[in-house]
C-alpha cells in the first residue's frame, strides 16, 4: 500500500515540477523553448497516465493507462529530439527528419492501441505483494521492444547531434551543449537503472521532469552566466583601458590584460601598496572620498625606447543594491596621445594667434603709412579745389578727391577688419536724427547713382521717432556698404531703401531696413559665401568692378555687434535684397512724418565755419607738406598758424610764446610727439594750452591712449577740414571765435 502511495506522490511531485518548468519557459522566446514545452506537456500526460496505472483496479483500466503512457512517451521523445536539434542549431535537419519521425511515432502509437486487439505489445497480469496490495503489471511482447528501440533511436539521434555540435564548437560554447548532453545522459542512465532494478511500477517519467528542470536551468541561467563571464573577460582584455578590481578586503581579484601589461600586475601579489593604485589611495581614498580621478605619469621603456606615459586613473568603490561596499575598482586610461595632441594643438593655436596678431599689426601699420602721404595729397588737393577756377584743373582735382576717398575707405575697411579680427571694435552710441542720416546717405549716393543712370529711392516710416540713440557712424557705414554694393552691381534700374520702425517698447524699437536693387543678383551657391572675408563671388562677371570682398564681412560683423541681424535674398538677373534689423533706443518719440529729401543749399562748395583772426596756434609736424596743409585748410578762418618741423623747435617756440591751441604730430624723430608734449606741458608758457595729437594711428583705443597721456584731443590723418575746424571751435578761447 505504501509503495503505491509513494509512487503516486512522486508522480505528483513530477507533475508539479513540470508545471513550474512550463511556466518558467514562457520567458524564453526562442523556438527551441516551444519544443521543450511540448515535450514537458507530453511528460505531464505520461505522469498522469502513470498515476492511473498505479490506481487502476482492473486489467482493462491498467491496459488503457499503459497504452496512454507508452504512446505519450513516443511524442515526448519526438519533441525532446526537436528541442535538441533546434538548441544545437540543426534547424534544417529537424525540418528534413521530422516528417519521418512523426510518421514512425504515429505508426507506433496506433500499434500500441491495437494491443487491445492483438496483444502484440504487452499483456497485463496481476501481482500481489507481501502486504496484500495488488498491482497490474505488464508482460512484454516483441512489438514493445520495437517501440523501445524506436524511442531509444530517436534519443540517440538527438545525442549524436549534440555531440557533433560539441566537437565542432570552439571551447567557449562547448559548455553550453555539454550541459544539455549531460542532462539527457542522466535521463538515459536513470532509465536503464530503473529497468535493471525491475521495479514494480514505472517511474522513469520522473526523470524526464527532473531533466526538464535541469535543461531549463541550464539554458536560462547557468549557460548564459558562464558565457557572460567568459565573454566579459575576453572583452575586457581587448579594450585599450585598464581595469583592476579589488574585493572588500582589498585583495586584487581581477586585472585585465592592459592593466597587467602596462603595470606588471600579478593578481596574486598585487595590493594597495603597489603603483599606480597606491598613488590614488594617497590622493583620494585617504581623504575619505568614495570616488575620484587623478592624472598619473609613468616613465616607461617600451620596445627599448624610454618614454613618458600619461594616464588618467579613475577610482570608485563598488556597492551592492543596498549600498553596501563590496569592493573597489580602478580604471586606467592612457592619455599620452591626448596630451601630445593637446600640446600640438595649443602650439598650433599659439602660432596662428601670433601670425594673426602679426597680420593685424601689419595691416594697421600699412594703413598708417598710407594715411600719412594721403593726408598731404588730399589736403593739398582741397587747396586746389578752393582756389582754382579753371574747370579742367578743377575736374582733375575732383578726380583726385574721389580716388582719394576710395583709397581712404579701403584703408578704413582694412583697419575695421583688423579691429574686428582682434575683437577690438567698439561701438560709440550717440543721439541722432534718422531723417538726417537718410538724407546724408541719399545726397552722397545720388551722384554715384546718377553717373550710372540709376535711380535711388528712399522711404521711411512716418512714425519714425525724431531722435534715436545708437552708433550712428557704424549704422551709416552699414548702409553705405550695402548701398554702394547695390549701385556697383546694378547696370539698370536702381536702388530702393525702405526704413520701417517696429516699436518694441516705449524705449526701444527695431529699425527694419530693406535695401533692394535691380542688379545682377547673386546665385544661390554664392549667397552662402558673400559674408566670408576677402571673398568676392561671381568673380568672372565682377572682375572689372572694384572691391576687396571685405565690405559685407565688416557689415555683418557691425550689425551683429549692434545686436542686429542681416539677411540677404537674391535672384540672379533680377536683383538682390538685404534686410537689416537693429534695436535702437528711442530718445524723442515725436514722429518725424514723411521722409523728404532736403538738399543742401550750398552744395559741396566749401564754406568756413568760423573766423578767429586774433587766435594763434602752433602746428608741429616733421613733414613740411603736412604743415602747409593745415595752414592752407585754415586760411579762410584767418587763424594765425605758426609752424615747427620738430619737437625741439616746438619746445623752444613754446618757451617764448603763448598759443591758443597746439597741434602736435605723434611720429617724429626724437623728440617724438609724446616727449615733446611732456616737455611743453611742464615748462614754458604753454603748460595749460590745449594740445591735440595729430596721428595716422586710427586704431581702436588710440584716442583713450592719447587722453591717458594727457592730450586734450586726437585728430586722425588725413585731416579733414570740417574736423579740424570743429576741433578749433571746441578748444579756442570762445571770445576769439566768431561762428559763421
Ligand atoms: P566687394 O568689395 O567685392 O564688393 P563685398 O564684401 O562688399 O565685397 O561683397 C562681396 C561680394 O558679394 C561681391 O564681390 C559681389 O560679388 C557680391 N555682392 C554684394 N552685394 C551685391 C549686390 N547688391 N548685387 C550683386 N552682388 C553683390
Amino acid at each position: 500500500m505504501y509503495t503505491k502511495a509513494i509512487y503516486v506522490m512522486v508522480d505528483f511531485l513530477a507533475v508539479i515540477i513540470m508545471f513550474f518548468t512550463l511556466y518558467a519557459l514562457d520567458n524564453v522566446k526562442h523556438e527551441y523553448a516551444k519544443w521543450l514545452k511540448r515535450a514537458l506537456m507530453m511528460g505531464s500526460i505520461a505522469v498522469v497516465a502513470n498515476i492511473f496505472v498505479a490506481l487502476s483496479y482492473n486489467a482493462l483500466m491498467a491496459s488503457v493507462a499503459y497504452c496512454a503512457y507508452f504512446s505519450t512517451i513516443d511524442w515526448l521523445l519526438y519533441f525532446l529530439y526537436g528541442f535538441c536539434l533546434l538548441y544545437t542549431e540543426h534547424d534544417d535537419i529537424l525540418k528534413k527528419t521530422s516528417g519521418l519521425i512523426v510518421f514512425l511515432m504515429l505508426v507506433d502509437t496506433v500499434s500500441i492501441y491495437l494491443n487491445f486487439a492483438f496483444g502484440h505489445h504487452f499483456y497485463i497480469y496481476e501481482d500481489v505483494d507481501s502486504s496484500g496490495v495488488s498491482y497490474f503489471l505488464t508482460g512484454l511482447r516483441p512489438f514493445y521492444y520495437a517501440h523501445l528501440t524506436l524511442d531509444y533511436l530517436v534519443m540517440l539521434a538527438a545525442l549524436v547531434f549534440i555531440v557533433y555540435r560539441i566537437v565542432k564548437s570552439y571551447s567557449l560554447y562547448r559548455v553550453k551543449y555539454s550541459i544539455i548532453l549531460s542532462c539527457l545522459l542522466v535521463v538515459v542512465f536513470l532509465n536503464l537503472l530503473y529497468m535493471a532494478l525491475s521495479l514494480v511500477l514505472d517511474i522513469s517519467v520522473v526523470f524526464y521532469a527532473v531533466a526538464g528542470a535541469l535543461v531549463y536551468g541550464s539554458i536560462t541561467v547557468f549557460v548564459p552566466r558562464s558565457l557572460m563571464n567568459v565573454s566579459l573577460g575576453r572583452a575586457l582584455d581587448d579594450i585599450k583601458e585598464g581595469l583592476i578590481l579589488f574585493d572588500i578586503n582589498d585583495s586584487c581579484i581581477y586585472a585585465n590584460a592592459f592593466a597587467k601589461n602596462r603595470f606588471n600586475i600579478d593578481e596574486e601579489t598585487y595590493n594597495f601598496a603597489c603603483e599606480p593604485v597606491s598613488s590614488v589611495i594617497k590622493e583620494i581614498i585617504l581623504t575619505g572620498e568614495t570616488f575620484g580621478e587623478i592624472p598619473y605619469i609613468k616613465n616607461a621603456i617600451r620596445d627599448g625606447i624610454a618614454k613618458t606615459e600619461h594616464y588618467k586613473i579613475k577610482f570608485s568603490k563598488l556597492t551592492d543594491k543596498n549600498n553596501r561596499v563590496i569592493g573597489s575598482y580602478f580604471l586606467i586610461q592612457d592619455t599620452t596621445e591626448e596630451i601630445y595632441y593637446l600640446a600640438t594643438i595649443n602650439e598650433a593655436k599659439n602660432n596662428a594667434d601670433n601670425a594673426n596678431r602679426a597680420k593685424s599689426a601689419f595691416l594697421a601699420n600699412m594703413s598708417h603709412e598710407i594715411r600719412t602721404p594721403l593726408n598731404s595729397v588730399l589736403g593739398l588737393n582741397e587747396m586746389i579745389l578752393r582756389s582754382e577756377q579753371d574747370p579742367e584743373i578743377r575736374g582733375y582735382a575732383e578726380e583726385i578727391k574721389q580716388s582719394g576717398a576710395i583709397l581712404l575707405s579701403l584703408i578704413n575697411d582694412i583697419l575695421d577688419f583688423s579691429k574686428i579680427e582682434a575683437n577690438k571694435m567698439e561701438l560709440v552710441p550717440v543721439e541722432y536724427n534718422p531723417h538726417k542720416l537718410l538724407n546724408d546717405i541719399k545726397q552722397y549716393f545720388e551722384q554715384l547713382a546718377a553717373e550710372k543712370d540709376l535711380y535711388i529711392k528712399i522711404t521711411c516710416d512716418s512714425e519714425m521717432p525724431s531722435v534715436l540713440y545708437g552708433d550712428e557712424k557704424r549704422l551709416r557705414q552699414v548702409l553705405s556698404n550695402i548701398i554702394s554694393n547695390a549701385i556697383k552691381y546694378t547696370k539698370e534700374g536702381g536702388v530702393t531703401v525702405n526704413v520701417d520702425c517696429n516699436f518694441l517698447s516705449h524705449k526701444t524699437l527695431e529699425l527694419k531696413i530693406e535695401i533692394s536693387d535691380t542688379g545682377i543678383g547673386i546665385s544661390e551657391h554664392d549667397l552662402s559665401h558673400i559674408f566670408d572675408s576677402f571673398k568676392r563671388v561671381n568673380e568672372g562677371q565682377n572682375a572689372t568692378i572694384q572691391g576687396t570682398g571685405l565690405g559685407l564681412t565688416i557689415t555683418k560683423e557691425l550689425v551683429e555687434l549692434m545686436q542686429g541681424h542681416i539677411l540677404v535674398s537674391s535672384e540672379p538677373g533680377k536683383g538682390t535684397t538685404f534686410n537689416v534689423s537693429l534695436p535702437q533706443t528711442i530718445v524723442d518719440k515725436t514722429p518725424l512724418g514723411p521722409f523728404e529729401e532736403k538738399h543742401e543749399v550750398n552744395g559741396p562748395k566749401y564754406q568756413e565755419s568760423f573766423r578767429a583772426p586774433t587766435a594763434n596756434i602752433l602746428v608741429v609736424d616733421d613733414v613740411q607738406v603736412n604743415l602747409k596743409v593745415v595752414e592752407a585748410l585754415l586760411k579762410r578762418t584767418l587763424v594765425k598758424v605758426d609752424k615747427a618741423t620738430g619737437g625741439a623747435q616746438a619746445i623752444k617756440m613754446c618757451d617764448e610764446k603763448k598759443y591758443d591751441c597746439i597741434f602736435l604730430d605723434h611720429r617724429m624723430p626724437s623728440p617724438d610727439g609724446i616727449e615733446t608734449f611732456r616737455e611743453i606741458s611742464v615748462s614754458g608758457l604753454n603748460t595749460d594750452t590745449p594740445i591735440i595729437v595729430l596721428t595716422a594711428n586710427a586704431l581702436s583705443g588710440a584716442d583713450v591712449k592719447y587722453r591717458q597721456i594727457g592730450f586734450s584731443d586726437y585728430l586722425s590723418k588725413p585731416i579733414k577740414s570740417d574736423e579740424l575746424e570743429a576741433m578749433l571751435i571746441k578748444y579756442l578761447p570762445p571770445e576769439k571765435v566768431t561762428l559763421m
Side-chain angles (χ1 to χ4, degrees), residues 488-489 491 520-523 525-527 529-530 532-550:
K488 259 201 295 190
Y489 299 107
K491 290 186 186 123
I520 57 171
I522 305 164
S523 71
H525 168 259
D526 287 343
L527 266 187
H529 298 296
I530 63 164
D532 297 353
S533 37
F534 301 107
K535 178 96 187 168
R536 303 197 67 210
V537 297
N538 196 6
E539 299 247 25
Q541 210 174 342
N542 298 342
T544 54
I545 304 177
Q546 220 171 26
T548 52
L550 272 183

Side-chain angles (χ1 to χ4, degrees), residues 478-692:
V478 166
L479 295 181
S480 301
N481 278 349
I482 302 174
I483 298 173
S484 70
N485 273 346
I487 295 175
K488 259 201 295 190
Y489 299 107
T490 300
K491 290 186 186 123
E492 51 191 46
V495 183
T496 312
V497 182
N498 185 25
V499 185
D500 261 332
C501 49
N502 179 15
F503 291 92
L504 300 174
S505 69
H506 67 286
K507 272 191 152 175
T508 50
L509 60 73
E510 186 189 15
L511 213 53
K512 296 178 87 173
I513 307 163
E514 186 180 272
I515 300 157
S516 46
D517 63 53
T518 55
I520 57 171
I522 305 164
S523 71
E524 207 179 315
H525 168 259
D526 287 343
L527 266 187
S528 50
H529 298 296
I530 63 164
F531 293 115
D532 297 353
S533 37
F534 301 107
K535 178 96 187 168
R536 303 197 67 210
V537 297
N538 196 6
E539 299 247 25
Q541 210 174 342
N542 298 342
T544 54
I545 304 177
Q546 220 171 26
T548 52
L550 272 183
L552 286 181
T553 314
I554 295 168
T555 303
K556 184 165 191 273
E557 293 288 345
L558 287 178
V559 169
E560 281 168 5
L561 200 66
M562 292 190 270
Q563 316 290 328
H565 305 282
I566 181 164
L567 288 175
V568 56
S569 59
S570 186
E571 212 177 310
K574 294 225 163 126
T576 307
T577 301
F578 281 87
N579 283 290
V580 177
S581 69
L582 287 173
Q584 298 282 283
T585 309
I586 304 166
V587 177
D588 183 351
K589 211 172 175 184
T590 322
L592 280 170
F595 172 69
E596 279 163 29
E597 201 180 324
K598 292 181 191 71
H599 281 285
E600 283 185 12
V601 204
N602 289 337
K605 200 166 169 286
Y606 169 75
Q607 167 72 47
E608 70 275 19
S609 54
F610 75 99
R611 282 193 191 144
T614 55
N616 191 180
I617 66 164
L618 170 67
V619 186
V620 191
D621 198 316
D622 58 323
V623 183
Q624 286 270 5
V625 70
N626 282 346
L627 295 173
K628 255 198 211 158
V629 167
V630 176
E631 191 178 28
L633 286 175
L634 291 177
K635 196 168 167 191
R636 300 264 287 267
T637 64
L638 306 178
V639 172
K640 182 170 181 323
V641 180
D642 285 3
K643 292 168 286 182
T645 50
Q649 190 191 355
I651 295 165
K652 198 160 165 265
M653 287 167 82
C654 284
D655 280 342
E656 291 161 5
K657 193 169 180 183
K658 163 90 181 130
Y659 290 102
D660 293 313
C661 187
I662 299 169
F663 288 93
L664 190 56
D665 183 33
H666 176 185
R667 275 207 196 175
M668 291 189 295
S670 181
D672 72 359
I674 293 174
E675 287 158 349
T676 312
F677 166 81
R678 295 215 164 107
E679 194 61 41
I680 296 174
S681 51
V682 292
S683 68
L685 302 175
N686 291 283
T687 49
D688 56 354
T689 305
I691 303 178
I692 294 152

Side-chain angles (χ1 to χ4, degrees), residues 228-442:
M228 189 184 81
N229 282 341
V230 177
S231 312
L232 264 181
R234 293 277 159 84
L236 286 174
D237 277 344
D238 272 356
I239 59 171
K240 297 279 168 276
E241 280 185 24
L243 176 70
I244 311 173
L245 293 176
F246 284 88
D247 66 9
I248 192 167
N249 302 316
D250 304 337
S251 305
C252 179
I253 46 175
Y254 176 78
N256 73 347
F258 182 94
K260 280 182 184 159
N261 278 343
R262 295 293 176 99
F263 295 95
N264 293 329
I265 294 174
D266 171 8
E267 283 141 324
E268 299 281 303
T269 53
Y270 194 69
N271 58 44
F272 269 12
C274 309
E275 283 297 338
V277 162
S278 68
S279 295
V280 185
I281 310 269
K282 270 181 229 134
E283 287 195 40
I284 303 176
I285 305 180
L286 290 184
T287 62
E289 296 292 334
T290 52
F291 62 91
E293 189 179 280
I294 61 156
Y296 185 82
I297 297 176
K298 181 172 193 277
N299 292 317
I301 295 175
R302 305 234 174 264
D303 305 327
I305 301 167
K307 141 178 198 209
T308 306
E309 292 173 342
H310 295 261
Y311 294 96
K312 215 192 279 173
I313 305 183
K314 222 185 219 171
F315 152 78
S316 182
K317 286 238 185 264
L318 276 169
T319 51
D320 66 3
K321 279 184 201 146
N322 298 324
N323 233 4
R324 287 175 302 211
V325 175
I326 52 169
S328 51
Y329 74 88
F330 295 80
L331 213 62
I332 305 167
Q333 207 183 342
D334 186 347
T335 54
T336 313
E337 276 197 16
E338 199 179 300
I339 283 179
Y340 168 76
Y341 283 124
L342 269 180
T344 320
I345 289 169
N346 261 339
E347 196 183 321
K349 186 182 170 293
N350 284 342
N351 288 345
D353 283 351
N354 286 342
N356 202 23
R357 238 172 272 135
K359 183 196 73 184
S360 295
F362 170 76
L363 288 177
N365 260 337
M366 274 288 292
S367 76
H368 181 278
E369 294 306 319
I370 298 168
R371 269 164 188 273
T372 311
L374 197 60
N375 182 40
S376 322
V377 174
L378 291 182
L380 293 179
N381 189 56
E382 180 71 24
M383 292 305 95
I384 299 173
L385 279 169
R386 284 186 199 174
S387 53
E388 185 55 56
Q389 301 304 324
D390 181 343
E392 196 182 340
I393 294 178
R394 282 190 67 85
Y396 296 148
E398 279 295 346
E399 289 283 330
I400 294 175
K401 188 175 173 177
Q402 271 175 27
S403 303
I406 291 174
L407 189 54
L408 199 60
S409 92
L410 216 76
I411 295 163
N412 285 339
D413 270 1
I414 293 174
L415 210 64
D416 279 349
F417 180 71
S418 55
K419 274 188 214 169
I420 287 168
E421 286 252 288
N423 273 336
K424 281 192 176 157
M425 181 64 93
E426 284 152 17
L427 294 177
V428 186
V430 293
E431 289 181 8
Y432 69 96
N433 175 328
H435 273 196
K436 164 130 184 20
L437 173 95
L438 292 176
N439 201 50
D440 288 353
I441 286 189
K442 176 120 199 231

Side-chain angles (χ1 to χ4, degrees), residues 90 93 159-169:
H90 288 107
I93 294 180
L159 293 180
V160 166
F161 284 114
I162 296 177
V163 171
Y164 175 76
R165 182 57 74 211
I166 290 173
V167 174
K168 283 280 164 191
S169 319

